[in-house]
Amino acid sequence: QLQLVESGGGLVQPGGSLRLSCTASGFALDYYAIGWFRQAPGKEREGVSCIGSSGIDIQYADSVKGRLTISRDGANNTVHMRMNSLKPEDTAVYYCAAERDPYSAVCTVMPDKGLYEYWGQGTQVTVSS
């Protein structure tokens, strides 16, 4: 069974930083393109970042470019996303997801593409004073 678990969320002050982690079980995460998405109450899900299976293709949403970094930790079957200079509008539940098919070197942060099959339960990020 392919499962993803997010961790690292919590309460942080504006301008602060945190690192989210996405850990897989049942499959090797290095073989799949991985995306990070978020959803705030009453709003549609939006893509935040993604990384291809090779680690070469990395994409960020315009709203977060320059403020976060996505990376792979193959030894721990984990993908991390470090966020800096957090803003109140970053408050949301953050989800990681793996694409349906393995070995995709190219990823996308467009949820309308419908390429992501396996999703975690999410971790809450709250940016507030």
Side-chain angles (χ1 to χ4, degrees):
Q1 188 175 41
L2 307 181
Q3 294 183 327
L4 298 172
V5 178
E6 302 94 340
S7 62
L11 176 64
V12 63
Q13 294 184 350
S17 301
L18 56 75
R19 187 181 71 169
L20 304 183
S21 298
C22 176
T23 301
S25 62
F27 65 102
L29 202 57
D30 281 348
Y31 298 153
Y32 289 80
I34 303 297
W36 280 98
F37 301 86
R38 66 186 181 186
Q39 188 167 15
K43 300 181 68 176
E44 296 293 324
R45 182 183 63 194
E46 62 176 339
V48 179
S49 67
C50 70
I51 185 168
S53 62
S54 69
I56 297 174
D57 185 33
I58 296 175
Q59 299 182 36
Y60 301 103
D62 290 340
S63 61
V64 299
K65 285 182 178 178
R67 298 194 295 118
L68 60 78
T69 302
I70 187 171
S71 62
R72 290 185 178 273
D73 179 4
N76 293 294
N77 210 24
T78 298
V79 168
H80 300 291
M81 185 173 70
R82 187 175 190 274
M83 303 184 68
N84 300 318
S85 302
L86 285 165
K87 306 174 182 179
E89 52 262 44
D90 294 318
T91 297
V93 177
Y94 284 72
Y95 302 89
C96 67
E99 288 192 1
R100 182 175 298 106
D101 298 316
Y103 305 110
S104 178
V106 179
C107 71
T108 179
V109 294
M110 299 181 183
D112 290 343
K113 289 285 187 177
L115 296 177
Y116 293 92
E117 176 72 15
Y118 310 103
W119 294 78
Q121 295 299 307
T123 184
Q124 176 71 49
V125 172
T126 302
V127 185
S128 176
S129 298

